[in-house]
């Protein structure tokens, strides 16, 4: 039987474009092994200064709408004091204040309790860093 506290690291390649990557299936696979039908909490954490975790609808345009909204709120221009990397990269370091690098979600009977249209997503606007880690932790 799995322990009460189980962790897995996912390695995600997001490429050189801004992206919203659906992690829901990977979360469900992890819970099949780690939760074994138990109740608990799933924590999703991105240990990066320029990425976040969102629970949103995907596939119907909401993921693109999120990226568009972030462009409006955090334009990729030269206004940012943090200036290394690609032009406008400073905004990527502000992203986690709006899209936090973590989410904690309920697990009931070993299954992730999401609403009908909700998905767990990695939000990455940093084109300079295509390789990301996502830590999944089940506490049951």
């Amino acid at each position: 039987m799995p322990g009460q506290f189980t962790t897995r690291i996912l390695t995600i390649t997001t490429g050189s474009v801004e992206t919203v990557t659906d992690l829901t299936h990977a979360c469900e696979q992890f819970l099949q092994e780690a939760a074994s039908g138990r109740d608990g909490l799933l924590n999703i954490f991105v240990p990066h200064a320029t990425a976040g975790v969102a629970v949103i609808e995907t596939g119907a345009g909401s993921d693109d709408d999120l990226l568009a909204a972030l462009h409006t709120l955090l334009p990729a221009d030269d206004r940012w004091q943090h200036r290394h990397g690609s032009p406008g990269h400073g905004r990527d370091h502000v992203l986690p204040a709006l899209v936090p690098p973590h989410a904690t979600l309920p697990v009931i009977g070993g299954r992730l309790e999401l609403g009908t249209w909700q998905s767990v997503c990695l939000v990455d606007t940093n084109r300079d860093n295509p390789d990301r880690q996502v830590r999944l932790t089940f506490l049951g």
Side-chain angles (χ1 to χ4, degrees):
M1 173 178 240
Q4 290 188 16
F5 187 87
T6 306
T7 296
R8 175 175 297 158
I9 304 291
L10 304 176
T11 301
I12 308 291
T13 300
T14 57
S16 60
V17 296
E18 299 175 2
T19 186
V20 175
T21 303
D22 193 337
L23 303 173
T24 309
H25 183 69
C27 291
E28 291 169 341
Q29 284 183 315
F30 169 67
L31 288 172
Q32 284 179 352
E33 298 170 26
S36 298
R38 296 177 294 151
D39 294 352
L41 295 172
L42 174 66
N43 180 265
I44 304 99
F45 177 69
V46 181
H48 299 282
T50 58
V53 175
V55 178
I56 63 168
E57 177 182 11
T58 58
S62 296
D63 33 359
D64 291 332
D65 289 342
L66 173 59
L67 292 174
L70 290 171
H71 272 280
T72 300
L73 294 169
L74 304 172
D77 58 23
D78 64 356
R79 74 184 68 202
W80 308 102
Q81 292 183 39
H82 188 107
R83 293 186 185 266
H84 75 86
S86 298
H89 174 65
R91 71 148 188 153
D92 299 327
H93 287 273
V94 178
L95 173 78
L98 301 176
V99 182
H102 58 86
T104 301
L105 304 171
V107 176
I108 306 298
R111 298 181 55 110
L112 192 55
E113 281 292 302
L114 291 172
T116 302
W117 304 111
Q118 290 179 316
S119 296
V120 180
C121 298
L122 169 67
V123 179
D124 186 2
T125 59
N126 183 357
R127 298 170 306 192
D128 295 338
N129 185 1
D131 300 311
R132 299 301 188 161
Q133 290 187 337
V134 179
R135 177 182 294 273
L136 304 178
T137 303
F138 174 71
L139 175 62

